Amino acid sequence: MVGGVEDEFAAAQELLGCMGSNVVYCGAVGTGQAAKICNNLLLAISMIGTAEAMNLGIRLGLDPKLLAKILNMSSGRCWSSDTYNPVPGVMDGVPSANNYQGGFGTTLMAKDLGLAQDSATSTKSPILLGSQAHQIYRMMCAKGYSNKDFSSVFQFLREEETF
């Protein structure tokens, strides 16, 4: 997600391709950052939703692998459920399979949600779920999840009985 002068983007596109497989020109300076903030806002919300649904299903007696399979063939399917599931034992090769090590840190997600919150305030855009997600990730940082992957929200919700 790149913002800037289009001719300069075109000149740098090959180099940028070495940094990632998807390189998208977004427009003027700042639009790449705006796209990243919006994407991570949605990612945070969908990860919390996936974690909540999986937690509820497990507490209702469903096998987590079966529930993930059902979600991923139904209308609840999203990247957080089918590619990066937050429940340990559901998928291999994701942070939840490695005690939430690696991946995108909770501190970074809280930072990006803070940027989204600031942007929403300056543009007078309501982000009700985004504000709640920001609060959740900030609480996680305060409770020792700072260095864990943001999908550790599943573990955080499992441990929090006060909501």
Side-chain angles (χ1 to χ4, degrees), residues 8-95:
E8 292 174 3
F9 166 75
Q13 191 168 4
E14 186 177 336
L15 178 62
L16 294 171
C18 296
M19 297 168 62
S21 58
N22 296 320
V23 179
V24 179
Y25 178 69
C26 298
V29 171
T31 57
Q33 173 86 8
K36 179 184 183 294
I37 289 169
C38 292
N39 182 73
N40 282 0
L41 171 69
L42 180 57
L43 176 59
I45 293 167
S46 70
M47 183 57 76
I48 293 168
T50 299
E52 286 184 352
M54 293 296 295
N55 184 39
L56 177 61
I58 291 166
R59 289 183 180 198
L60 289 170
L62 292 167
D63 174 75
K65 286 185 178 183
L66 174 65
L67 179 55
K69 179 180 175 181
I70 292 167
L71 293 175
N72 294 334
M73 64 171 58
S74 303
S75 57
R77 187 186 66 76
C78 63
W79 186 86
S80 296
S81 67
D82 73 0
T83 305
Y84 210 81
N85 197 287
V87 180
V90 170
M91 299 181 80
D92 294 326
V94 295

